[in-house]
PDB file of all heavy atoms in Angstrom:
ATOM      1  N   VAL A 183       7.971   4.395  44.923  1.00 96.00           N
ATOM      2  CA  VAL A 183       6.829   3.551  45.314  1.00 96.00           C
ATOM      3  C   VAL A 183       6.787   2.252  44.509  1.00 96.00           C
ATOM      4  O   VAL A 183       6.014   1.343  44.825  1.00 96.00           O
ATOM      5  CB  VAL A 183       5.487   4.300  45.125  1.00 96.00           C
ATOM      6  CG1 VAL A 183       5.425   5.513  46.031  1.00 96.00           C
ATOM      7  CG2 VAL A 183       5.250   4.673  43.666  1.00 96.00           C
ATOM      8  N   ILE A 186      10.453  -3.251  41.519  1.00 97.00           N
ATOM      9  CA  ILE A 186      10.556  -4.066  40.313  1.00 97.00           C
ATOM     10  C   ILE A 186      10.876  -5.503  40.706  1.00 97.00           C
ATOM     11  O   ILE A 186      11.915  -5.786  41.312  1.00 97.00           O
ATOM     12  CB  ILE A 186      11.633  -3.512  39.367  1.00 97.00           C
ATOM     13  CG1 ILE A 186      11.308  -2.065  38.982  1.00 97.00           C
ATOM     14  CG2 ILE A 186      11.740  -4.381  38.105  1.00 97.00           C
ATOM     15  CD1 ILE A 186      12.436  -1.346  38.299  1.00 97.00           C
ATOM     16  N   GLY A 188      10.669  -8.127  38.345  1.00 96.00           N
ATOM     17  CA  GLY A 188      11.146  -8.910  37.217  1.00 96.00           C
ATOM     18  C   GLY A 188      11.072  -8.148  35.918  1.00 96.00           C
ATOM     19  O   GLY A 188      10.513  -7.042  35.847  1.00 96.00           O
ATOM     20  N   ARG A 198       4.686 -15.807  31.360  1.00 96.00           N
ATOM     21  CA  ARG A 198       5.085 -16.668  32.475  1.00 96.00           C
ATOM     22  C   ARG A 198       5.337 -15.852  33.751  1.00 96.00           C
ATOM     23  O   ARG A 198       4.851 -16.204  34.835  1.00 96.00           O
ATOM     24  CB  ARG A 198       6.342 -17.457  32.096  1.00 96.00           C
ATOM     25  CG  ARG A 198       6.772 -18.455  33.151  1.00 96.00           C
ATOM     26  CD  ARG A 198       7.832 -19.412  32.611  1.00 96.00           C
ATOM     27  NE  ARG A 198       9.103 -18.762  32.327  1.00 96.00           N
ATOM     28  CZ  ARG A 198       9.556 -18.538  31.096  1.00 96.00           C
ATOM     29  NH1 ARG A 198       8.843 -18.901  30.049  1.00 96.00           N
ATOM     30  NH2 ARG A 198      10.722 -17.953  30.920  1.00 96.00           N
ATOM     31  N   ASP A 206       1.540  -5.822  40.553  1.00 96.00           N
ATOM     32  CA  ASP A 206       0.450  -4.840  40.548  1.00 96.00           C
ATOM     33  C   ASP A 206       0.368  -4.112  39.213  1.00 96.00           C
ATOM     34  O   ASP A 206      -0.716  -3.721  38.775  1.00 96.00           O
ATOM     35  CB  ASP A 206       0.670  -3.805  41.663  1.00 96.00           C
ATOM     36  CG  ASP A 206       0.658  -4.426  43.046  1.00 96.00           C
ATOM     37  OD1 ASP A 206      -0.314  -5.138  43.368  1.00 96.00           O
ATOM     38  OD2 ASP A 206       1.632  -4.216  43.795  1.00 96.00           O
ATOM     39  N   VAL A 207       1.519  -3.918  38.586  1.00 96.00           N
ATOM     40  CA  VAL A 207       1.561  -3.151  37.345  1.00 96.00           C
ATOM     41  C   VAL A 207       2.604  -3.753  36.409  1.00 96.00           C
ATOM     42  O   VAL A 207       3.619  -4.306  36.858  1.00 96.00           O
ATOM     43  CB  VAL A 207       1.887  -1.656  37.622  1.00 96.00           C
ATOM     44  CG1 VAL A 207       3.232  -1.497  38.307  1.00 96.00           C
ATOM     45  CG2 VAL A 207       1.860  -0.833  36.342  1.00 96.00           C
ATOM     46  N   SER A 217       5.663 -10.355  18.023  1.00 81.00           N
ATOM     47  CA  SER A 217       4.341 -10.264  18.638  1.00 81.00           C
ATOM     48  C   SER A 217       4.125  -8.856  19.175  1.00 81.00           C
ATOM     49  O   SER A 217       4.886  -7.944  18.876  1.00 81.00           O
ATOM     50  CB  SER A 217       4.198 -11.307  19.749  1.00 81.00           C
ATOM     51  OG  SER A 217       5.193 -11.114  20.737  1.00 81.00           O
ATOM     52  N   SER A 229      -5.464 -11.162  36.742  1.00 86.00           N
ATOM     53  CA  SER A 229      -6.400 -10.103  36.352  1.00 86.00           C
ATOM     54  C   SER A 229      -6.271  -8.813  37.157  1.00 86.00           C
ATOM     55  O   SER A 229      -6.606  -7.738  36.662  1.00 86.00           O
ATOM     56  CB  SER A 229      -7.844 -10.612  36.451  1.00 86.00           C
ATOM     57  OG  SER A 229      -8.116 -11.084  37.758  1.00 86.00           O
ATOM     58  N   LEU A 231      -4.452  -6.299  37.687  1.00 94.00           N
ATOM     59  CA  LEU A 231      -3.250  -5.762  37.053  1.00 94.00           C
ATOM     60  C   LEU A 231      -3.528  -4.407  36.424  1.00 94.00           C
ATOM     61  O   LEU A 231      -4.553  -4.212  35.777  1.00 94.00           O
ATOM     62  CB  LEU A 231      -2.787  -6.752  35.973  1.00 94.00           C
ATOM     63  CG  LEU A 231      -1.531  -6.419  35.168  1.00 94.00           C
ATOM     64  CD1 LEU A 231      -0.302  -6.523  36.051  1.00 94.00           C
ATOM     65  CD2 LEU A 231      -1.402  -7.376  33.980  1.00 94.00           C
ATOM     66  N   LEU A 256       5.380   7.536  26.430  1.00 86.00           N
ATOM     67  CA  LEU A 256       5.998   7.530  25.110  1.00 86.00           C
ATOM     68  C   LEU A 256       7.507   7.351  25.194  1.00 86.00           C
ATOM     69  O   LEU A 256       8.146   7.783  26.155  1.00 86.00           O
ATOM     70  CB  LEU A 256       5.693   8.834  24.373  1.00 86.00           C
ATOM     71  CG  LEU A 256       4.234   9.101  23.980  1.00 86.00           C
ATOM     72  CD1 LEU A 256       4.106  10.499  23.394  1.00 86.00           C
ATOM     73  CD2 LEU A 256       3.759   8.059  22.972  1.00 86.00           C
ATOM     74  N   VAL A 268       2.943   6.883  36.955  1.00 95.00           N
ATOM     75  CA  VAL A 268       3.105   5.988  38.108  1.00 95.00           C
ATOM     76  C   VAL A 268       2.236   6.452  39.275  1.00 95.00           C
ATOM     77  O   VAL A 268       1.576   5.637  39.931  1.00 95.00           O
ATOM     78  CB  VAL A 268       4.586   5.914  38.532  1.00 95.00           C
ATOM     79  CG1 VAL A 268       4.715   5.257  39.910  1.00 95.00           C
ATOM     80  CG2 VAL A 268       5.396   5.148  37.498  1.00 95.00           C
ATOM     81  N   GLU A 284     -11.957  -5.007  28.518  1.00 81.00           N
ATOM     82  CA  GLU A 284     -12.684  -4.173  27.556  1.00 81.00           C
ATOM     83  C   GLU A 284     -11.847  -2.976  27.127  1.00 81.00           C
ATOM     84  O   GLU A 284     -11.825  -2.607  25.945  1.00 81.00           O
ATOM     85  CB  GLU A 284     -14.011  -3.706  28.157  1.00 81.00           C
ATOM     86  CG  GLU A 284     -15.060  -4.794  28.318  1.00 81.00           C
ATOM     87  CD  GLU A 284     -14.763  -5.724  29.489  1.00 81.00           C
ATOM     88  OE1 GLU A 284     -13.971  -5.336  30.365  1.00 81.00           O
ATOM     89  OE2 GLU A 284     -15.321  -6.839  29.514  1.00 81.00           O
ATOM     90  N   LEU A 287      -9.129  -4.247  24.665  1.00 80.00           N
ATOM     91  CA  LEU A 287      -9.654  -4.581  23.343  1.00 80.00           C
ATOM     92  C   LEU A 287      -9.991  -3.326  22.544  1.00 80.00           C
ATOM     93  O   LEU A 287      -9.687  -3.231  21.352  1.00 80.00           O
ATOM     94  CB  LEU A 287     -10.885  -5.470  23.478  1.00 80.00           C
ATOM     95  CG  LEU A 287     -10.621  -6.902  23.971  1.00 80.00           C
ATOM     96  CD1 LEU A 287     -11.941  -7.628  24.220  1.00 80.00           C
ATOM     97  CD2 LEU A 287      -9.759  -7.675  22.984  1.00 80.00           C
ATOM     98  N   PHE A 301       4.313  -1.786   5.574  1.00 73.00           N
ATOM     99  CA  PHE A 301       5.358  -2.777   5.404  1.00 73.00           C
ATOM    100  C   PHE A 301       5.056  -3.980   6.282  1.00 73.00           C
ATOM    101  O   PHE A 301       4.206  -3.929   7.175  1.00 73.00           O
ATOM    102  CB  PHE A 301       6.735  -2.199   5.774  1.00 73.00           C
ATOM    103  CG  PHE A 301       6.829  -1.759   7.214  1.00 73.00           C
ATOM    104  CD1 PHE A 301       7.157  -2.669   8.220  1.00 73.00           C
ATOM    105  CD2 PHE A 301       6.580  -0.448   7.574  1.00 73.00           C
ATOM    106  CE1 PHE A 301       7.242  -2.269   9.545  1.00 73.00           C
ATOM    107  CE2 PHE A 301       6.658  -0.038   8.892  1.00 73.00           C
ATOM    108  CZ  PHE A 301       6.992  -0.958   9.878  1.00 73.00           C
ATOM    109  N   MET A 307      15.490 -16.830  10.796  1.00 75.00           N
ATOM    110  CA  MET A 307      16.121 -17.464  11.942  1.00 75.00           C
ATOM    111  C   MET A 307      17.043 -16.528  12.708  1.00 75.00           C
ATOM    112  O   MET A 307      17.208 -16.657  13.920  1.00 75.00           O
ATOM    113  CB  MET A 307      16.916 -18.701  11.470  1.00 75.00           C
ATOM    114  CG  MET A 307      16.047 -19.784  10.835  1.00 75.00           C
ATOM    115  SD  MET A 307      14.698 -20.342  11.904  1.00 75.00           S
ATOM    116  CE  MET A 307      15.638 -21.113  13.218  1.00 75.00           C
ATOM    117  N   ASP A 317       6.341  -4.758  -2.624  1.00 96.00           N
ATOM    118  CA  ASP A 317       7.499  -5.500  -3.126  1.00 96.00           C
ATOM    119  C   ASP A 317       7.308  -7.009  -3.041  1.00 96.00           C
ATOM    120  O   ASP A 317       8.129  -7.770  -3.548  1.00 96.00           O
ATOM    121  CB  ASP A 317       8.761  -5.113  -2.341  1.00 96.00           C
ATOM    122  CG  ASP A 317       9.193  -3.688  -2.621  1.00 96.00           C
ATOM    123  OD1 ASP A 317       8.702  -3.101  -3.591  1.00 96.00           O
ATOM    124  OD2 ASP A 317      10.032  -3.160  -1.867  1.00 96.00           O
ATOM    125  N   SER A 323       4.402 -21.766   0.757  1.00 97.00           N
ATOM    126  CA  SER A 323       4.587 -22.604   1.941  1.00 97.00           C
ATOM    127  C   SER A 323       5.782 -23.536   1.750  1.00 97.00           C
ATOM    128  O   SER A 323       5.987 -24.115   0.684  1.00 97.00           O
ATOM    129  CB  SER A 323       3.324 -23.433   2.188  1.00 97.00           C
ATOM    130  OG  SER A 323       3.534 -24.356   3.245  1.00 97.00           O
ATOM    131  N   ILE A 338      13.115 -14.342   0.655  1.00 95.00           N
ATOM    132  CA  ILE A 338      13.349 -14.390   2.097  1.00 95.00           C
ATOM    133  C   ILE A 338      12.619 -15.614   2.645  1.00 95.00           C
ATOM    134  O   ILE A 338      11.437 -15.825   2.341  1.00 95.00           O
ATOM    135  CB  ILE A 338      12.816 -13.138   2.824  1.00 95.00           C
ATOM    136  CG1 ILE A 338      13.521 -11.872   2.325  1.00 95.00           C
ATOM    137  CG2 ILE A 338      12.995 -13.269   4.338  1.00 95.00           C
ATOM    138  CD1 ILE A 338      12.932 -10.591   2.911  1.00 95.00           C
ATOM    139  N   HIS A 369       0.415  -7.963  -8.251  1.00 96.00           N
ATOM    140  CA  HIS A 369       1.424  -8.575  -9.117  1.00 96.00           C
ATOM    141  C   HIS A 369       0.849  -9.683  -9.995  1.00 96.00           C
ATOM    142  O   HIS A 369       1.604 -10.380 -10.676  1.00 96.00           O
ATOM    143  CB  HIS A 369       2.578  -9.122  -8.272  1.00 96.00           C
ATOM    144  CG  HIS A 369       3.492  -8.057  -7.740  1.00 96.00           C
ATOM    145  ND1 HIS A 369       4.499  -7.500  -8.495  1.00 96.00           N
ATOM    146  CD2 HIS A 369       3.531  -7.439  -6.533  1.00 96.00           C
ATOM    147  CE1 HIS A 369       5.134  -6.589  -7.768  1.00 96.00           C
ATOM    148  NE2 HIS A 369       4.567  -6.530  -6.582  1.00 96.00           N
ATOM    149  N   GLY A 378      -6.309 -25.904 -17.107  1.00 76.00           N
ATOM    150  CA  GLY A 378      -6.261 -25.732 -15.665  1.00 76.00           C
ATOM    151  C   GLY A 378      -6.512 -24.276 -15.337  1.00 76.00           C
ATOM    152  O   GLY A 378      -7.063 -23.525 -16.139  1.00 76.00           O
ATOM    153  N   LEU A 389       1.442 -19.717 -11.136  1.00 96.00           N
ATOM    154  CA  LEU A 389       1.098 -20.369  -9.880  1.00 96.00           C
ATOM    155  C   LEU A 389      -0.290 -20.997  -9.987  1.00 96.00           C
ATOM    156  O   LEU A 389      -1.236 -20.333 -10.426  1.00 96.00           O
ATOM    157  CB  LEU A 389       1.121 -19.356  -8.733  1.00 96.00           C
ATOM    158  CG  LEU A 389       2.416 -18.548  -8.558  1.00 96.00           C
ATOM    159  CD1 LEU A 389       2.265 -17.588  -7.386  1.00 96.00           C
ATOM    160  CD2 LEU A 389       3.616 -19.468  -8.367  1.00 96.00           C
TER     161      LEU A 389
END
Side-chain angles (χ1 to χ4, degrees):
V183 297
I186 302 168
R198 184 168 68 252
D206 298 307
V207 60
S217 59
S229 57
L231 180 70
L256 294 174
V268 167
E284 289 75 18
L287 290 173
F301 62 85
M307 298 305 294
D317 291 346
S323 174
I338 299 174
H369 285 278
L389 306 180

